[in-house]
Amino acid sequence: MVKKFEYRGMPLTELEGLSLENLFKLFNSRQRRSLTRGITDGKRKLIEEIKAAKAGKSKNAIKTHVRDLIVLPYMVGVTVNVFSGKEFRPVTIIPEMIGHYLGEYVITNKRVTHGAPGVGASRSSLYVPLK
């Protein structure tokens, strides 16, 4: 049996039809606060690009540095390349991402792999002959 997606008891088709005010009531307080404080120019430009890609008007890949944009229902199905601090990583927006930030899906750090210790790395290495 295939599990149907629901966000707080509402299917995706109903979420897409909701007005922003009614949608805000479903979000957590952190997301509500972020959205009600306004949308900056960078976020507005990204939202317009996502709408154009969803409508099929844009053929270019969407690249962005905006990591603090909250995923809304109409963004589902679009692939956005989000900057990780080093490179752009593709993120395909799925229904389970609604209400989360874009930056949550692109990690900004990587695992540290240390090499062998060099001369002077510890007290005992001071007395190792160099020849």
Side-chain angles (χ1 to χ4, degrees):
M1 182 176 205
V2 178
K3 183 179 177 186
K4 291 173 118 180
F5 170 76
E6 288 187 346
Y7 182 79
R8 311 234 181 205
M10 298 185 82
L12 183 61
T13 54
E14 284 184 34
L15 286 173
E16 289 176 344
L18 283 178
S19 66
L20 286 178
E21 290 78 23
N22 292 330
L23 185 63
F24 289 173
K25 293 176 184 175
L26 296 176
F27 285 152
N28 293 334
S29 61
R30 178 77 250 163
Q31 283 79 5
R32 271 197 315 270
R33 178 175 165 80
S34 176
L35 289 168
T36 55
R37 287 177 63 93
I39 297 173
T40 61
D41 292 335
K43 290 180 186 178
R44 184 172 289 116
K45 181 181 174 191
L46 178 61
I47 289 172
E48 290 171 3
E49 289 180 19
I50 290 173
K51 285 182 179 178
K54 184 88 174 188
K57 296 177 184 174
S58 175
K59 302 288 187 232
N60 298 337
I62 301 171
K63 287 185 170 184
T64 183
H65 286 259
V66 178
R67 299 173 53 86
D68 61 342
L69 179 68
I70 295 170
V71 176
L72 298 173
Y74 65 83
M75 298 178 185
V76 174
V78 177
T79 300
V80 179
N81 293 321
V82 183
F83 194 65
S84 69
K86 182 178 179 182
E87 61 189 2
F88 288 94
R89 300 278 177 99
V91 175
T92 302
I93 299 174
I94 58 174
E96 286 78 14
M97 293 180 180
I98 294 174
H100 291 270
Y101 292 91
L102 273 180
E104 292 181 39
Y105 301 101
V106 179
I107 62 169
T108 57
N109 55 5
K110 65 178 184 178
R111 191 171 186 194
V112 177
T113 55
H114 297 287
V119 175
S122 65
R123 293 218 163 221
S124 62
S125 67
L126 293 176
Y127 303 107
V128 174
L130 296 176
K131 286 189 179 181

